[in-house]
Amino acid sequence: MDFAQLRDAELGTVNDTADAWSSVSAKLLDVQSHHITLSTSMTNGAWVGDSADMANSQLSLLNEQLNAAKTETKALYDILVDAAEQFTTKQDELKNVIDEIDGIPELAIDDAGIVTLTDQANPDNDPTILQIWQNQQVSYQENINTIVDEATTADENIAEALQLAAETNNDGDVTFNAQAMDMEELAEVREAEADTIALLNADPTQMTPEQLDELNTLLATYGENPVFATEMLEEMGPDEFLNSVAAHSYQGNLYANDPYLDGDVQGYLNLQENLGLTLAAATDPANGEHLDQEWVQGLMNAGTSNISHIPDVEYRGYLALAPLLEHGEYHEDFLTPIANHVMMQANDDAIWAHQGAAFDPNPYAFNPEYVIEGQPADQNPHETRPLNSVYLALENNPDAAAQVFGGDGPPPEFEYKNFDGEDLAPIDNPVDFALSAHHESLYPMDDLDGALEAAATGVTPGDDSPYPLHSQENIATTERLMSYLGDHPTDLAPGGELEGFADNMTTISSNYMVDIQSNLVPEGGAYADDVNLPGEQADFEKGDLTRVLHSLGQHEDSMYELAGANQAATTTLVSAGYEQFEGQPPQTWIEDAAAPGSYVSGILADGQSHYIVESGQESDTSHNDRVDLIAEGASTVAGLKIPGVGMVVDPIAEMFHVDNIEEYSGDAQAANTYLEDTSANNSSTAVEAALIEQGMTPEEAEQWCEENLSGADFNGWFQDGRGYVIDYTD
């Protein structure tokens, strides 16, 4: 803003714009009032079903949009009101000075704001008089310059505040900024930034408990604000940030492990969590304000460099970063290159020259939850190596996990250097790397299992979100899992090296049960190529499928869950076939649709009966637990809303009933005969459920099955599944 712009500004326009935003805000309040009324009427239970669920989901999104819109419009109104006040004040000050100058014959001011002396300033050429007026000229000029400079600064601050307030912070799902700030709030954030940086850079050995509390309070209050987080980390830079984190974390570790030191261990754990949340906010491109690729590359470079707060000790930056990654939900644009870099380091032969940096217990991690009871002190804490922290972070971001385990390699726009500054080689198969026995002792399975499940299914374990259709990266992850575990079939079985992963692999297999069945469709049938199944299908080797399912079938809970998924997938394949081949003779397609489910039943049954007969294992699962597990498996199948869940779940609760199998302990043939009969009954029920979904009555569906299928068909397919076990297992 220059002199003429300030002098001539029509500030009534600013007030009019502010009034317009005030009007928008008032209208939004009216809209939200109607929205609340509508939402209340829809959520009182009068409208239920899929359409109601979808409508409620949209209403929830609309409520989020309205709240964000209210926040942004209020911030914009407040900024504009503040702008009008500041500009009016500065314009009045400027005009007062101009009026003063206009009233002095010895001075003049032009349209550029330059003050000059007139001929009347010294008509007698008196040097003393001339000096007096020159002093006056300088004084007025400085006054005008100060006013214009202050107005320019205000203009820049207001423009920045308007830009920040209007920036979308939610990946386009909500088109308003839910974290918009007015001028006063922005100034408060800037002051908090400076205070936080000062405390982070303070010497932790001299920090008082009150200062640590203040630092945590600042981060807890402002850390997830994108403006605060981004500007703070930009100001510090990656190296300074990691060194500050390391210094504070090291002090926390000293307090945690030295009985002679009295310090606030929990306060330092809180600090790591707050810094992790701050880093996640600053690196999220969904926020209008976020750190750029250059900053992230700098962090990766700092991750392989020595931490400078302890001279002559080879502690690398990623050790300090690791505990932070376990807090917050990191965007895949940040987490994917970081995760690839850490994994590539762990796979690099040169790392053995830097054992202290890679494999010693992390000096910056001290969470008591990490300690393994009974382990020597120098082997604790085990979850604190950077790769374990990366796995935990990937579990919280399925998209990043899928890119890492199922993608085509690390993002090429970044450089990946080892500790010696040399280029790291990409990992050909990250799933094989993660599961390989070589790394088992260094990277425990209980850190990895959730990351692999998230990568395969697209959902974080424990999240109630519906399972989506699979992306190419999801599918590639699962194909790699099936291949590796198919080559190591005993690892998943009870007592195997990866027994702890069986629950996760059960969920993954349930999620992919339509894919599993479609890969078992009899060769030569038209069904596999022509039928319209949901989403793209994974490509599994039949032998790998057989070995993995047989190992999982040896776990009682896994068997029930997979049985539910298998039943639901059979219903899906039959329903899709009925739609696709309507009017054609059922004999041309029904085997393709119904047989794979019986194959799976045969494989699972053989695994379970084998384990029970061989081990004498007794069931500890109640009928209600069986129903819950079967229902869980049925609801896990990707991208589906299972029809006739009651028909699918209730009868199958008696299938694979371990209490009954126990009667055949020592007689595998008798046990399998029992399972064969119950499997045939329940496979028929799954077909009936599909036909009912297609519009048949229960009576019509039962008659259709009697005319086109027989118990002998299902029994034969079941035995074929058991035959796969003979063919593909030792």
Side-chain angles (χ1 to χ4, degrees):
M1 175 172 283
D2 60 24
F3 169 84
Q5 289 172 331
L6 178 59
R7 180 194 64 191
D8 301 334
E10 294 289 344
L11 297 180
T13 304
V14 181
N15 286 308
D16 291 344
T17 305
D19 290 341
W21 279 109
S22 178
S23 177
V24 170
S25 182
K27 290 183 183 299
L28 283 170
L29 286 173
D30 289 340
V31 171
Q32 189 165 46
S33 176
H34 289 299
H35 169 263
I36 292 171
T37 302
L38 178 60
S39 298
T40 302
S41 66
M42 288 182 60
T43 56
N44 63 6
W47 183 15
V48 296
D50 292 347
S51 57
D53 291 343
M54 178 59 69
N56 282 322
S57 173
Q58 293 302 310
L59 283 173
S60 176
L61 177 59
L62 176 58
N63 185 57
E64 186 181 349
Q65 291 174 330
L66 288 170
N67 282 326
K70 281 169 50 185
T71 300
E72 182 176 323
T73 53
K74 182 182 183 305
L76 292 172
Y77 168 75
D78 289 342
I79 292 168
L80 290 169
V81 167
D82 196 36
E85 292 176 354
Q86 291 191 53
F87 288 146
T88 298
T89 298
K90 292 303 162 188
Q91 188 180 64
D92 289 345
E93 291 177 2
L94 182 64
K95 287 183 176 180
N96 287 337
V97 175
I98 293 172
D99 289 343
E100 284 186 31
I101 293 173
D102 287 345
I104 300 173
E106 290 81 4
L107 298 175
I109 185 168
D110 63 16
D111 284 340
I114 304 300
V115 180
T116 57
L117 297 177
T118 67
D119 293 340
Q120 300 181 49
N122 189 17
D124 299 326
N125 292 320
D126 185 335
T128 302
I129 297 297
L130 178 62
Q131 185 63 52
I132 291 172
W133 285 115
Q134 286 176 338
N135 290 342
Q136 287 290 310
Q137 175 194 13
V138 170
S139 177
Y140 275 111
Q141 188 67 66
E142 289 177 348
N143 197 0
I144 287 172
N145 291 346
T146 297
I147 293 170
V148 172
D149 287 346
E150 289 174 349
T152 299
T153 299
D155 185 41
E156 292 171 350
N157 290 339
I158 290 163
E160 181 188 29
L162 288 170
Q163 176 188 349
L164 292 172
E167 283 182 336
T168 302
N169 66 332
N170 33 50
D171 253 346
D173 293 335
V174 179
T175 54
F176 292 92
N177 187 353
Q179 295 176 306
M181 296 178 289
D182 60 25
M183 296 289 292
E184 184 177 349
E185 292 167 329
L186 185 57
E188 183 181 303
V189 163
R190 295 273 164 73
E191 183 178 354
E193 287 172 24
D195 292 343
T196 303
I197 291 173
L199 286 167
L200 278 173
N201 285 333
D203 183 354
T205 64
Q206 304 301 315
M207 180 168 277
T208 66
E210 292 75 21
Q211 288 175 314
L212 180 59
D213 286 344
E214 181 186 357
L215 178 55
N216 272 317
T217 299
L218 286 167
L219 288 166
T221 303
Y222 300 102
E224 294 185 78
N225 180 303
V227 175
F228 171 92
T230 303
E231 293 185 356
M232 185 192 87
L233 294 180
E234 278 182 337
E235 176 71 21
M236 296 188 76
D239 292 282
E240 181 182 323
F241 174 65
L242 281 186
N243 276 288
S244 295
V245 170
H248 287 280
S249 296
Y250 190 79
Q251 190 65 29
N253 196 3
L254 290 177
Y255 287 142
N257 292 290
D258 191 333
Y260 298 102
L261 292 177
D262 182 19
D264 186 1
V265 176
Q266 187 58 50
Y268 282 102
L269 289 172
N270 293 343
L271 180 59
Q272 289 182 335
E273 178 178 358
N274 288 327
L275 287 170
L277 294 171
T278 301
L279 180 62
T283 53
D284 188 350
N287 293 326
E289 189 87 348
H290 64 276
L291 297 168
D292 58 17
Q293 179 183 323
E294 182 180 355
W295 197 97
V296 177
Q297 181 68 69
L299 184 69
M300 293 167 64
N301 296 340
T304 59
S305 301
N306 279 338
I307 295 294
S308 62
H309 80 103
I310 305 178
D312 303 322
V313 176
E314 196 174 69
Y315 288 148
R316 303 289 174 156
Y318 273 131
L319 290 167
L321 180 64
L324 274 58
L325 294 176
E326 298 176 19
H327 304 287
E329 296 184 9
Y330 291 88
H331 194 278
E332 55 270 19
D333 286 2
F334 169 78
L335 185 55
T336 300
I338 294 287
N340 273 285
H341 194 199
V342 174
M343 290 178 73
M344 289 159 69
Q345 284 183 43
N347 191 48
D348 182 34
D349 290 339
I351 202 170
W352 296 100
H354 304 274
Q355 264 193 19
F359 299 118
D360 282 350
N362 192 338
Y364 307 121
F366 48 93
N367 192 329
E369 295 178 4
Y370 294 157
V371 175
I372 312 170
E373 189 173 350
Q375 290 273 27
D378 62 356
Q379 294 181 26
N380 278 306
H382 80 287
E383 275 119 337
T384 59
R385 308 181 200 284
L387 186 53
N388 296 101
S389 299
V390 162
Y391 288 156
L392 294 173
L394 290 173
E395 180 178 336
N396 290 325
N397 187 325
D399 288 340
Q403 290 174 12
V404 169
F405 290 111
D408 294 329
E413 61 269 25
F414 292 93
E415 292 183 347
Y416 303 87
K417 303 289 187 180
N418 67 8
F419 292 161
D420 296 321
E422 300 165 343
D423 288 333
L424 287 163
I427 298 173
D428 292 335
N429 188 326
V431 171
D432 280 16
F433 159 79
L435 290 176
S436 65
H438 172 68
H439 297 281
E440 175 62 21
S441 60
L442 296 171
Y443 307 113
M445 194 65 217
D446 54 4
D447 295 330
L448 174 62
D449 50 11
L452 288 173
E453 182 180 327
T457 66
V459 174
T460 296
D463 190 340
D464 293 332
S465 301
Y467 286 95
L469 294 175
H470 301 130
S471 69
Q472 288 293 336
E473 289 85 1
N474 296 144
I475 290 171
T477 299
T478 309
E479 289 174 345
R480 290 169 174 175
L481 276 169
M482 284 289 185
S483 176
Y484 180 91
L485 295 169
D487 288 341
H488 304 80
T490 60
D491 283 4
L492 281 177
E497 288 186 21
L498 299 179
E499 179 182 10
F501 187 54
D503 285 347
N504 303 89
M505 196 61 201
T506 296
T507 299
I508 294 168
S509 299
S510 296
N511 185 245
Y512 279 79
M513 191 56 75
V514 169
D515 306 62
I516 288 172
Q517 288 197 14
S518 69
N519 276 268
L520 295 174
V521 167
E523 294 181 8
Y527 182 92
D529 295 328
D530 294 342
V531 76
N532 184 24
L533 293 172
E536 296 205 25
Q537 304 301 301
D539 185 13
F540 303 130
E541 291 290 334
K542 189 180 292 185
D544 291 335
L545 286 180
T546 301
R547 289 185 287 272
V548 169
L549 292 174
H550 192 256
S551 293
L552 293 175
Q554 297 177 42
H555 298 271
E556 184 181 352
D557 287 357
S558 295
M559 181 192 62
Y560 292 131
E561 188 175 333
L562 289 166
N566 188 43
Q567 197 84 334
T570 297
T571 299
T572 300
L573 264 70
V574 172
S575 180
Y578 187 90
E579 261 184 29
Q580 193 81 8
F581 301 109
E582 187 175 6
Q584 297 185 31
Q587 290 77 14
T588 62
W589 62 270
I590 188 59
E591 179 177 351
D592 285 1
S598 292
Y599 301 155
V600 171
S601 294
I603 296 168
L604 293 173
D606 192 275
Q608 184 60 208
S609 63
H610 169 79
Y611 181 64
I612 290 175
V613 169
E614 293 295 323
S615 68
Q617 177 75 22
E618 293 186 359
S619 171
D620 59 0
T621 307
S622 69
H623 176 82
N624 288 339
D625 288 340
R626 286 197 299 275
V627 171
D628 290 343
L629 288 165
I630 292 163
E632 181 180 346
S635 63
T636 302
V637 181
L640 306 179
K641 287 190 175 294
I642 304 303
V645 170
M647 289 190 67
V648 171
V649 172
D650 294 337
I652 203 175
E654 296 305 317
M655 178 184 179
F656 298 150
H657 189 161
V658 178
D659 295 336
N660 293 335
I661 303 174
E662 289 167 5
E663 298 176 11
Y664 305 105
S665 182
D667 188 346
Q669 182 59 47
N672 274 287
T673 300
Y674 162 76
L675 291 168
E676 179 181 328
D677 292 338
T678 55
S679 171
N681 291 335
N682 286 286
S683 294
S684 178
T685 301
V687 175
E688 290 179 24
L691 297 173
I692 290 170
E693 186 201 31
Q694 292 298 322
M696 290 188 186
T697 66
E699 293 76 17
E700 290 171 336
E702 184 177 0
Q703 182 179 350
W704 192 96
C705 285
E706 289 175 356
E707 293 174 355
N708 296 288
L709 290 166
S710 68
D713 291 327
F714 290 113
N715 289 344
W717 297 330
F718 180 93
Q719 290 301 330
D720 289 342
R722 291 195 62 228
Y724 292 161
V725 176
I726 296 172
D727 292 340
Y728 295 114
T729 63
D730 294 333

